[in-house]
Every structure is written in C-alpha cells, then in structure tokens.
C-alpha cells in the first residue's frame, strides 16, 4: 500500500474488524510502478466461528488516469 494511502486503508480495516463493510480506493506500489485499486470486503463467520474476509480487489488504474486527464482538461 502506498505510504500516503496507508492511514486510510488501516482505518477501513479497523472498521472491518468491528463488523462494518470495507470499501475504498488506494494505490499499491509494485515493481513496475503504482496501481490504483478499488477494494470491497466484508467479514464472513463460518459455522465454527472462524472469521474470514471476503471481497473483491479491482484494478482501476486506467479509470483513475482517465479521470485525472479529464479533470486537467476541464481546468486548463
């Protein structure tokens, strides 16, 4: 997780531990650069009482780049 986004992700994960749903967009730092992801998750409890995180992590880098470009064009 990108250092600038880590506090937001940590807060969302803490809320997830309390039973709330987790949903946010943040950057991942990879060997080839940064990637934007949209992350949604919730806690599932099985019959034995074990807690699992179930969710979807989607790469939204292209959408974020397009948004940034459109915003720049609107302002310049």
């Amino acid at each position: 997780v990108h250092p600038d986004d880590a506090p937001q992700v940590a807060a969302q994960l803490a809320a997830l531990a309390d039973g709330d749903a987790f949903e946010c967009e943040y950057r991942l730092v990879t060997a080839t650069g940064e990637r934007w992801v949209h992350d949604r998750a919730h806690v599932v409890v099985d019959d034995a009482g074990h807690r699992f995180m179930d969710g979807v992590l989607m790469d939204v880098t292209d959408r974020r780049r397009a948004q940034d470009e459109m915003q720049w064009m609107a302002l310049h």
Side-chain angles (χ1 to χ4, degrees):
V1 175
H2 189 282
D4 292 344
D5 300 335
Q8 172 193 6
V9 174
Q12 290 286 333
L13 286 173
L16 182 64
D18 292 337
D20 294 336
F22 173 101
E23 185 166 1
C24 69
E25 286 189 9
Y26 55 92
R27 292 166 289 179
L28 295 177
V29 179
T30 69
T32 58
E34 294 178 359
R35 303 297 297 179
W36 278 96
V37 295
H38 183 95
D39 195 355
R40 274 192 286 182
H42 65 277
V43 173
V44 176
V45 181
D46 68 8
D47 294 336
H50 298 108
R51 295 168 52 97
F52 299 94
M53 186 167 51
D54 181 33
V56 177
L57 182 71
M58 297 174 283
D59 186 329
V60 295
T61 303
D62 292 337
R63 180 181 58 79
R64 290 295 294 239
R65 286 183 182 150
Q67 281 179 314
D68 291 346
E69 184 177 338
M70 285 188 289
Q71 183 177 10
W72 186 89
M73 290 182 345
L75 298 173
H76 293 89

